[in-house]
Amino acid sequence: DIREVKEVVDKTMPLIDLEHASTINTDGIGIFEESKESKKKNRKNKNKKGQEMGFPKRGSQIVQSVDKAVEPVDPKEKEEEEKVEADSRFYMLTKIDHEMKRYRKPIYDNEISLEEVCESFRNFSSCQLGLYYDIKDIRRFIAGLAVTHLMILQGMSGTGKTSLAYAFGEYLRNSTVVIPIQPMWKERSDLIGYYNEFTKKFNETVLLQKLYEANYNDEIYITVLDELNIARIEYYFAEFLSLLELPNPEKRYLDVVADEWKNDPKLFKNGQLRLPKNMWFIGTANNDDSTFAISDKVYDRAMVINLDTKARPFDVANAESVKVSASRLEELYKKYHESGLEILDFPCNQFGNQAPGSDDEIHEFCTLKYNTTFDQFAKIDVNGDSEDALYTFIKSEKKEDKIDGMKNKI
């Protein structure tokens, strides 16, 4: 459409050096042929303007490493390290080993409260990224991280599912890894890579590098499985689903290679890598003809949040990113639990047949599989003719937004 093209040209005009342009044609749209003298200058201007708008510098990686301070490197030591890296079948992981020798722990904001995290994250997304979210969605997202390390954001396209997880990484100054799921993916090697018998090297994916790096520090790592159900997540994410089910995080070891070499990365144990407890997987899901249905097995292991509407834009004077550790986030969750926050579990079998058993079977499953400690009640219906009176009351109060009155009645 000619109007759309003209709009793009109007935005691009400030980046063009018109004084040194050899020809200008403004019939309908602008077509510019730059002279050699202006090309270098314009390239610098574009890079500067692009960085101001939040785009990465030309030639830089979109996925940045964790914001870390490192000590200076001795040239001879660096040369020796490069030789070791070249000889290893895991070039990038061995490189991370060397970088982490000089890693210095950052200064974390250990005074921030959970309420401040929610408010400042929302304001940061608005002020710095131009992304707007309802505070209730932000709170559900932050609270969901306390429930499980696998979250599914589903809803209509364009409601900000991927950008919510991306913004949280920027807010924490540890960029989110966004993995676009491919329709043909069927096994874990699609996620973490594979050993090439011809090159004798392991094809290391970005996710594998982040899994390894996360084991070295206490940062919060967010990994997005973008459009997770465009392929069958039960296949390519099967091993991760099984490991996340184990109640003890220290026993969650991911198989990477079948054997062990002397010069393998330091954190490997018999060809396995521990699944870091400071990494969360956020899947985005669209339900249409191009995607697969998500099985009950996956829903049982995930925290599901529906994002169906866009929030209205709002103005914020200024908001900065923060540095919060995974340990601090866990402390905040425990603090609010000890302050009186309680989870009451009412099993319901009206959503994907996820709770078909008896009350005793459901209780045994939850306590043995997930080590749950919250109070659990008898199975109820939350919709339909047999809807429990508790949910009838909760729904009526939610519509009227009478939270304080609801607390008093309860």
Side-chain angles (χ1 to χ4, degrees):
D1 186 87
I2 190 68
R3 288 172 296 181
E4 293 179 353
V5 176
K6 289 187 70 174
E7 190 175 325
V8 172
V9 171
D10 290 339
K11 293 179 180 178
T12 311
M13 285 288 285
L15 303 181
I16 303 297
D17 184 2
L18 297 180
E19 274 186 33
H20 298 89
S22 56
T23 61
I24 299 177
N25 176 12
T26 55
D27 295 334
I29 62 173
I31 302 174
F32 307 100
E33 182 183 343
E34 298 177 83
S35 63
K36 292 182 179 180
E37 297 95 323
S38 65
K39 283 184 179 180
K40 188 174 182 180
K41 180 180 178 181
N42 288 337
R43 193 179 298 117
K44 289 182 180 179
N45 289 340
K46 291 176 184 178
N47 283 338
K48 183 178 179 181
K49 184 69 176 178
Q51 291 173 55
E52 290 173 356
M53 296 169 66
F55 294 102
K57 185 178 179 181
R58 184 180 180 88
S60 63
Q61 294 183 357
I62 294 178
V63 179
Q64 300 293 331
S65 183
V66 63
D67 179 18
K68 57 181 179 290
V70 295
E71 298 174 358
V73 188
D74 180 72
K76 291 184 178 179
E77 182 182 0
K78 182 65 176 176
E79 186 177 348
E80 292 177 1
E81 289 177 353
E82 289 176 350
K83 290 180 180 179
V84 174
E85 293 163 8
D87 292 337
S88 173
R89 58 175 170 173
F90 291 93
Y91 172 81
M92 291 304 302
L93 302 192
T94 304
K95 187 179 182 68
I96 292 173
D97 281 334
H98 294 151
E99 290 177 350
M100 287 301 171
K101 287 193 304 182
R102 296 176 286 273
Y103 170 75
R104 288 180 293 181
K105 184 178 178 180
I107 299 175
Y108 294 114
D109 186 354
N110 290 326
E111 302 299 323
I112 194 169
S113 68
L114 204 56
E115 181 180 3
E116 289 172 335
V117 170
C118 295
E119 292 289 347
S120 60
F121 170 42
R122 181 173 183 253
N123 292 339
F124 172 84
S125 298
S126 169
C127 178
Q128 303 292 345
L129 303 175
L131 301 172
Y132 306 100
Y133 296 98
D134 189 284
I135 187 61
K136 293 180 181 178
D137 292 330
I138 294 291
R139 288 169 181 166
R140 285 203 298 267
F141 177 78
I142 300 296
L145 301 179
V147 178
T148 176
H149 281 247
L150 175 61
M151 184 183 296
I152 297 177
L153 304 178
Q154 60 184 21
M156 296 175 58
S157 180
T159 53
K161 299 183 293 293
T162 303
S163 58
L164 175 59
Y166 164 79
F168 193 56
E170 297 301 303
Y171 169 70
L172 298 171
R173 299 204 294 272
N174 188 15
S175 294
T176 297
V177 177
V178 180
I179 303 174
I181 303 303
Q182 302 301 311
M184 71 290 295
W185 283 10
K186 291 184 178 180
E187 53 189 34
R188 63 181 175 84
S189 62
D190 296 315
L191 282 174
I192 65 172
Y194 61 92
Y195 180 70
N196 190 317
E197 293 288 350
F198 295 99
T199 63
K200 303 301 180 184
K201 299 288 184 181
F202 195 94
N203 289 358
E204 305 159 81
T205 64
V206 174
L207 176 58
L208 179 62
Q209 296 172 41
K210 289 298 178 178
L211 287 167
Y212 192 80
E213 183 183 276
N215 275 285
Y216 263 114
N217 56 61
D218 199 25
E219 303 285 334
I220 296 174
Y221 285 77
I222 302 295
T223 297
V224 174
L225 304 176
D226 199 27
E227 296 194 43
L228 66 84
N229 58 334
I230 202 170
R232 291 197 178 277
I233 184 175
E234 300 85 359
Y235 295 168
Y236 68 83
F237 204 64
E239 190 169 351
F240 288 85
L241 291 172
S242 298
L243 292 176
L244 291 173
E245 190 177 354
L246 299 177
N248 186 357
E250 299 300 327
K251 294 184 178 180
R252 298 172 183 169
Y253 274 87
L254 180 70
D255 290 321
V256 181
V257 286
D259 55 0
E260 185 178 13
W261 291 9
K262 290 183 179 180
N263 62 346
D264 275 349
K266 293 181 179 180
L267 300 184
F268 272 28
K269 183 179 180 181
N270 299 322
Q272 295 179 318
L273 176 65
R274 185 173 67 90
L275 194 63
K277 56 184 179 181
N278 55 333
M279 177 176 284
W280 280 262
F281 297 93
I282 314 295
T284 64
N286 293 321
N287 297 318
D288 53 40
D289 295 338
S290 67
T291 59
F292 293 97
I294 301 173
S295 68
D296 295 341
K297 172 185 176 181
V298 178
Y299 277 130
D300 284 344
R301 291 160 172 76
M303 174 68 183
V304 182
I305 297 179
N306 292 310
L307 293 178
D308 296 318
T309 59
K310 291 184 177 181
R312 293 180 179 179
F314 57 93
D315 294 327
V316 178
N318 190 27
E320 300 295 334
S321 58
V322 299
K323 202 69 173 171
V324 182
S325 67
S327 298
R328 175 57 179 170
L329 195 62
E330 183 65 26
E331 288 174 7
L332 290 172
Y333 291 142
K334 290 181 179 179
K335 174 185 174 182
Y336 280 89
H337 175 75
E338 294 169 356
S339 299
L341 174 65
E342 292 290 343
I343 298 175
L344 307 180
D345 179 25
F346 292 87
C348 176
N349 198 41
Q350 291 182 304
F351 301 95
N353 194 37
Q354 80 276 30
S358 65
D359 292 339
D360 290 337
E361 289 171 338
I362 294 171
H363 179 72
E364 181 180 3
F365 175 81
C366 292
T367 52
L368 293 180
K369 292 288 186 180
Y370 298 104
N371 197 29
T372 57
T373 58
F374 45 74
D375 293 332
Q376 193 171 72
F377 296 84
K379 185 162 58 175
I380 64 173
D381 285 347
V382 300
N383 292 312
D385 296 336
S386 58
E387 177 181 286
D388 191 90
L390 172 63
Y391 270 79
T392 302
F393 167 70
I394 291 176
K395 289 178 181 179
S396 66
E397 293 296 320
K398 182 180 180 182
K399 289 179 182 178
E400 299 173 13
D401 200 23
K402 296 180 179 178
I403 302 301
D404 292 334
M406 179 174 159
K407 288 180 180 178
N408 293 332
K409 290 179 182 179
I410 290 176

